[in-house]
Amino acid sequence: MISLLNALPGAAAQGLIWGIMAIGVYLTYRILDIADLSVDGTFCTGGAVCIMMMLSGHNVWVSMLAAFLAGMAAGLVTGLFHTFMGIPAILAGILTMLGLYSVNLKIMGKSNQAINVDKFDLLVSLRFIKGVAFYKNTIFIVAIIILVVVALLYWFFGTELGSSLRATGCNPQMSRAQGINTDFCRVLGLMLSNGLVAFSGALLCQYQGFADINMGRGSIVIGLAAVIIGDSLFKFLHWNFGLRLIGVALGSIVYYLVMQVVIWLGVDTDLLKLLSAVLVAVFLAIPTWKKRYFSRHSAVKGGKN
């Protein structure tokens, strides 16, 4: 039990970092109604760009900005595949993800690149979980970043352009009838989403001390898990868009805490991906199960009356 308690702060920190990625997935999955699989490649792109920029002597903030812009560029490619070339969104994401594997290899020069916290001024690190001042603590720093991201997104989606983007995901036909350029909104949404995913990857590579070509594999599953868990467990936050985004980040924390408990119970780590898939499938099925159960229960109750 002591080992589990000691591991929970690290799991919470990692959950917060992935929470930024989950917010990016939320933008496409919930707002645009697009399952964007390019995030598996974009996540690694953010880490690769950040690591190489820092190894070249650039400031950590400049490196993270470059990672964000690289993610937006990847989202632009996916958006153009989908809108300009007419490729279905899910296939467009797969094509971008496939191409980014080679791009990421070229960026790093090899399959992985390490960065030492003792030699570089990193924003977050696994070493900054315990025994450091609160303003250097990884959990505190990432929590502040999430609040800033949520505040900016809350402001943006309250603007005319942000409202157009939300309308595009809600009803594209009606949006076009109102004069909204739905193709532009889809591309912009994909760019914002992938920018946040890459930004999350930039934070994770600092946290773990390296960037790896496979670090983004399966990230779409983690993002969807965080979104579904957040929607299911934190429904009381749904009355406000900004609070919904916070709920998604909290869902990511819950996901990693559950994974930490599973590891502590001694489950084979080779099965973690399978458990993640099962977890997402169960949470996705809950609304359907509720509908079937309550509709059947109501029908039986009405028949008795």
Side-chain angles (χ1 to χ4, degrees), residues 10-303:
Q14 198 166 355
L16 280 171
I17 292 173
W18 282 89
I20 299 175
M21 186 275 299
I23 291 174
V25 172
Y26 181 88
L27 297 184
T28 51
Y29 181 67
R30 286 299 191 204
I31 295 180
L32 286 179
D33 195 23
I34 293 175
D36 179 25
L37 299 184
S38 62
V39 299
D40 278 24
T42 310
F43 191 80
C44 180
T45 300
V49 170
C50 182
I51 284 284
M52 298 310 296
M53 289 283 289
M54 294 195 70
L55 290 177
S56 300
H58 292 85
N59 178 274
V60 62
W61 291 106
V62 174
S63 302
M64 292 175 64
L65 176 61
F68 178 77
L69 294 177
M72 291 191 71
L76 174 63
V77 172
T78 303
L80 291 178
F81 278 161
H82 177 48
T83 59
F84 180 70
M85 301 180 67
I87 300 174
I90 191 168
L91 182 55
I94 293 174
L95 292 174
T96 304
M97 175 185 65
L98 183 65
L100 284 176
Y101 187 90
S102 297
V103 172
N104 296 336
L105 277 176
K106 283 297 183 180
I107 292 174
M108 292 191 291
K110 53 183 181 179
S111 60
N112 58 75
Q113 287 282 359
I115 191 166
N116 194 325
V117 66
D118 296 325
K119 297 180 180 179
F120 294 88
D121 186 19
L122 303 183
L123 184 63
V124 296
S125 173
L126 183 59
R127 296 189 191 178
F128 299 161
I129 297 295
K130 299 177 182 178
V132 296
F134 79 94
Y135 56 86
K136 288 186 178 181
N137 189 284
T138 296
I139 296 177
F140 175 77
I141 291 175
V142 181
I144 294 299
I145 291 175
I146 287 180
L147 291 177
V148 172
V149 168
V150 169
L152 290 174
L153 289 176
Y154 183 80
W155 166 81
F156 171 74
F157 281 101
T159 64
E160 182 177 352
L161 180 58
S163 298
S164 299
L165 199 152
R166 296 170 73 175
T168 296
C170 182
N171 193 327
Q173 291 80 16
M174 182 62 70
S175 299
R176 282 193 293 271
Q178 297 296 321
I180 296 174
N181 188 335
T182 55
D183 285 346
F184 173 78
C185 288
R186 287 194 181 97
V187 173
L188 178 60
L190 287 166
M191 290 176 67
L192 285 175
S193 171
N194 283 275
L196 289 173
V197 171
F199 188 81
S200 177
L203 284 172
L204 183 65
C205 74
Q206 295 177 59
Y207 176 79
Q208 63 189 13
F210 66 91
D212 185 83
I213 191 65
N214 294 315
M215 66 182 287
R217 183 172 294 177
S219 59
I220 183 63
V221 176
I222 298 175
L224 288 175
V227 171
I228 301 304
I229 292 172
D231 283 350
S232 301
L233 298 183
F234 303 104
K235 287 184 177 180
F236 60 91
L237 298 178
H238 285 192
W239 59 272
N240 181 278
F241 176 71
L243 294 178
R244 281 190 182 186
L245 298 180
I246 293 176
V248 171
L250 293 176
S252 180
I253 297 175
V254 172
Y255 171 85
Y256 267 93
L257 291 178
V258 170
M259 288 294 106
Q260 193 62 54
V261 171
V262 169
I263 294 173
W264 175 71
L265 291 174
V267 176
D268 188 355
T269 55
D270 292 340
L271 299 176
L272 289 181
K273 294 292 186 182
L274 175 61
L275 291 173
S276 299
V278 172
L279 185 65
V280 173
V282 169
F283 273 97
L284 284 172
I286 285 176
T288 301
W289 292 343
K290 282 184 176 180
K291 187 182 299 183
R292 289 177 180 174
Y293 170 76
F294 283 115
S295 61
R296 186 182 305 170
H297 181 72
S298 300
V300 171
K301 188 175 181 180

